[in-house]
């Protein structure tokens, strides 16, 4: 996958400089296209001044943490800043920022309104070209400060990389507590950086395979009780929860179709596991596979026309694709090892998967035809990949040899890898699409950029 962005030579996107090569501002101003694909890159040195006003410091801290986690930015130490009297009405003193090597300067303010809401404005400058890259003003209630910080991060990420951001999103996962012999699992939801976790179930059932709908308003998951397995759908705005019905056999791995009208899942019945799809309007169920092997973990393509799933019908688990009506089933994985847990990228260009080989587990990606397989992350045990809404990052669960499972994140190059924000034990993450902004609570205005394309 290529990350494309337009920039002037030697200007602000020095994150594209190979590691070990000093970033020097070039005098030329000729636009050029830079394609970022694989390799080691130098993060962009961005100066983030503390925002003024209520929650200002917290907003700038969250923006800095988001941008650092993306792997493309390195927020600078505020102790090195030579200018501190930054106001939205004035441009920064550019030589004071180039002197310390800042390749971008961000500052902002939080201003209270008479209606109890806040205006949160910010500006991003390129100190080498001495021009404004982007300027926004958001309006929101004070308690929405963290979400505003995520939206600011998305704006900056898109302006600087040319790709959509992923910060204003949420993660659904299974939170774990207790011991291996007495484990308690609860369905949890949090911001994508792990903050503001909320627990949606009480731990009396074993929770598996939580997934978002395409609009983030509904979720689906499996609950296992003492003598039952059920698929539940929950409306996050109302809390209303309903079951898809009773099935003859154990249900596994449900996932919404992109348009939200269908759900694909597997049923273990009579010693066999097959893929089914349910029309949510009629509740009619259709069987898509009938092979004697184990067919499970179906995932729709973004256009809803195909499904990827894993099956051991050939002797060991491999990845297969089929049309949404079950026709055209064919294998796509070609390497050795055991392939499981496939999930189609929201862009449609890649399929993420888990591969067990050589005594380790790996998170990998391949094209939908099985070509270009790449392993991005490896450890003692990894499972449950889920795509960020921009299709560039994958969240998954990694278990250490001590038995503790944590949420991790890797980008599609394998260069950016590390533990995700949630500090507790968790597994089976599901990343939401970008959140919609409620028009009555969250508005924004954009000022034109002054930097040439």
């Amino acid at each position: 996958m290529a990350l494309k962005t337009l920039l002037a030579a030697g200007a602000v996107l020095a994150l594209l400089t190979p590691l070990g090569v000093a970033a020097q501002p070039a005098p030329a101003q000729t636009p050029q296209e830079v394609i970022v694909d694989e390799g080691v890159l130098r993060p962009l040195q961005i100066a983030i001044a503390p925002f003024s006003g209520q929650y200002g410091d917290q907003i700038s801290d969250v923006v800095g943490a988001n941008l650092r986690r993306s792997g493309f930015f390195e927020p600078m130490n505020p102790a090195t800043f030579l200018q501190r009297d930054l106001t939205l009405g004035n441009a920064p003193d550019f030589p004071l920022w180039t002197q310390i090597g800042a390749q971008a300067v961000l500052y902002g303010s939080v201003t209270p309104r008479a209606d109890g809401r806040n205006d949160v404005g910010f500006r991003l400058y390129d100190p080498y070209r001495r021009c404004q890259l982007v300027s926004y003003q958001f309006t929101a209630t004070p308690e929405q400060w963290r979400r505003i910080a995520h939206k600011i991060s998305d704006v900056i990420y898109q302006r600087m990389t040319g790709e959509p951001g992923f910060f204003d999103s949420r993660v659904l996962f299974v939170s774990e507590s207790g011991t291996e012999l007495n484990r308690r699992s609860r369905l949890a939801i949090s911001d994508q950086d792990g903050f503001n976790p909320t627990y949606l179930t009480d731990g009396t059932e074993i929770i598996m395979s939580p997934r978002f709908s395409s609009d983030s308003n509904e979720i689906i998951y499996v609950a296992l009780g003492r003598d039952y397995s059920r698929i539940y759908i929950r409306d996050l705005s109302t809390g209303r929860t309903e079951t898809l019905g009773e099935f003859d056999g154990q249900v596994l791995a449900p996932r919404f179709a992109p348009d939200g009208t269908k759900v694909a899942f597997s049923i273990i019945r009579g010693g066999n596991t097959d893929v089914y799809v349910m029309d949510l309007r009629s509740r009619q169920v259709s069987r898509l596979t009938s092979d004697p092997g184990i067919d499970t973990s179906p995932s729709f393509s973004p256009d809803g026309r195909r499904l990827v799933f894993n099956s051991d019908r050939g002797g060991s688990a491999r990845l297969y694709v089929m049309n949404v009506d079950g026709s055209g089933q064919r294998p796509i994985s070609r390497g050795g090892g055991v392939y499981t847990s496939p999930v189609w990228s929201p862009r449609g260009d890649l399929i993420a998967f888990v591969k067990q080989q050589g005594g380790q587990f790996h998170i990998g990606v391949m094209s939908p035809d099985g070509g270009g397989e790449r392993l991005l992350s490896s450890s003692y045990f990894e499972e449950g990949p889920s795509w960020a809404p921009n299709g560039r990052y994958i969240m998954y669960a990694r278990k250490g040899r001590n038995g503790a499972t944590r949420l991790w994140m890797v980008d599609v190059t394998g260069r950016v890898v590390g533990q995700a924000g949630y500090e507790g034990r968790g597994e089976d993450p599901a990343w939401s699409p970008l959140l919609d902004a409620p028009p009555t609570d969250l508005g924004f205005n954009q000022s034109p950029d002054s930097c040439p394309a």
Side-chain angles (χ1 to χ4, degrees):
M1 175 185 295
L3 172 64
K4 297 183 178 181
T5 185
L6 291 173
L7 68 157
V12 68
L13 279 186
L15 63 96
L16 306 174
T17 306
L19 189 64
V21 179
Q24 298 292 336
Q29 294 293 318
T30 304
Q32 61 179 339
E33 182 178 61
V34 177
I35 299 176
V36 181
D37 196 346
E38 297 187 46
V40 180
L41 310 175
R42 180 187 295 276
L44 181 144
Q45 300 293 302
I46 182 170
I48 304 176
F51 286 26
S52 63
Q54 183 185 31
Y55 297 114
D57 286 348
Q58 293 95 318
I59 290 173
S60 52
D61 286 346
V62 170
V63 171
N66 281 339
L67 296 179
R68 177 180 287 110
R69 194 167 56 257
S70 77
F72 290 111
F73 301 85
E74 182 55 45
M76 303 178 70
N77 185 348
T80 66
F81 296 173
L82 301 178
Q83 182 183 12
R84 302 184 185 279
D85 56 341
L86 294 164
T87 61
L88 287 182
N90 298 296
D93 189 337
F94 297 119
L96 295 181
W97 296 99
T98 57
Q99 182 178 337
I100 65 171
Q103 295 161 310
V105 181
L106 171 70
Y107 57 97
S109 66
V110 182
T111 305
R113 295 164 54 109
D115 62 5
R117 295 184 296 168
N118 288 334
D119 288 334
V120 184
F122 74 93
R123 296 181 185 271
L124 181 69
Y125 279 88
D126 177 348
Y128 287 96
R129 289 191 288 171
R130 303 190 175 197
C131 56
Q132 178 180 283
L133 288 162
V134 68
S135 172
Y136 264 70
Q137 178 176 291
F138 291 97
T139 300
T141 58
E143 59 269 17
Q144 290 180 303
W145 68 267
R146 178 173 284 278
R147 183 154 181 220
I148 290 294
H150 293 321
K151 284 201 163 293
I152 292 172
S153 304
D154 282 332
V155 171
I156 296 169
Y157 183 94
Q158 181 160 9
R159 179 62 179 88
M160 305 301 282
T161 69
E163 292 198 345
F166 61 95
F167 303 107
D168 188 29
S169 59
R170 293 185 290 180
V171 176
L172 193 66
F173 60 97
V174 178
S175 172
E176 294 183 339
S177 59
T179 65
E180 286 293 323
L181 297 178
N182 187 25
R183 192 184 70 160
R184 184 187 187 200
S185 67
R186 291 183 293 171
L187 182 60
I189 189 171
S190 72
D191 295 349
Q192 54 78 28
D193 57 0
F195 283 81
N196 299 325
T198 300
Y199 301 96
L200 305 179
T201 60
D202 59 10
T204 57
E205 298 173 308
I206 297 174
I207 304 300
M208 301 170 57
S209 304
R211 302 289 181 258
F212 280 101
S213 65
S214 59
D215 63 4
S216 299
N217 292 325
E218 289 186 317
I219 61 173
I220 194 168
Y221 61 95
V222 172
L224 302 180
R226 186 177 298 274
D227 56 359
Y228 64 86
S229 67
R230 294 173 184 153
I231 298 177
Y232 288 104
I233 290 182
R234 181 185 180 107
D235 187 311
L236 290 177
S237 60
T238 65
R240 183 175 181 269
T241 303
E242 61 176 321
T243 179
L244 291 188
E246 299 295 329
F247 298 92
D248 180 18
Q250 182 175 330
V251 290
L252 299 170
R255 195 180 294 271
F256 284 104
D259 63 3
T261 63
K262 295 184 289 292
V263 170
F265 54 95
S266 293
I267 301 177
I268 303 175
R269 181 181 294 158
N272 192 42
T273 306
D274 282 302
V275 175
Y276 295 76
V277 65
M278 172 184 280
D279 186 307
L280 292 176
R281 293 163 296 192
S282 65
R283 297 299 172 100
Q284 183 173 355
V285 177
S286 301
R287 183 175 178 176
L288 301 185
T289 66
S290 56
D291 192 272
I294 299 174
D295 300 335
T296 189
S297 301
S299 173
F300 287 92
S301 61
D303 61 10
R305 296 179 179 178
R306 291 182 292 169
L307 287 156
V308 62
F309 63 102
N310 63 261
S311 174
D312 67 352
R313 63 183 65 179
S316 64
R318 301 173 66 186
L319 302 188
Y320 289 73
V321 294
M322 62 179 166
N323 297 323
V324 73
D325 62 359
S327 64
Q329 298 180 23
R330 60 182 180 87
I332 60 170
S333 56
R334 301 164 186 165
V338 175
Y339 294 83
T340 57
S341 304
V343 56
W344 223 302
S345 163
R347 293 181 173 184
D349 59 339
L350 293 172
I351 291 172
F353 57 87
V354 174
K355 183 174 184 176
Q356 184 181 2
Q357 187 178 40
Q360 286 195 311
F361 285 76
H362 315 268
I363 299 297
V365 293
M366 66 174 66
S367 64
D369 64 2
E373 178 178 323
R374 289 180 286 121
L375 301 182
L376 308 178
S377 175
S378 303
S379 70
Y380 169 71
F381 184 78
E382 302 187 342
E383 63 179 354
S386 179
W387 287 96
N390 68 354
R392 185 166 182 85
Y393 300 85
I394 299 169
M395 191 173 292
Y396 60 100
R398 172 182 285 191
K399 180 181 291 187
R401 294 185 182 275
N402 63 357
T405 305
R406 309 285 181 180
L407 301 184
W408 280 62
M409 187 176 79
V410 65
D411 80 331
V412 293
T413 70
R415 181 182 65 88
V416 181
V417 59
Q419 188 172 331
Y422 182 68
E423 294 295 332
R425 289 158 48 195
E427 62 181 13
D428 217 346
W431 213 323
S432 80
L434 285 176
L435 302 178
D436 292 329
T440 58
D441 296 331
L442 191 62
F444 65 87
N445 294 302
Q446 181 180 8
S447 300
D449 299 350
S450 62
C451 280

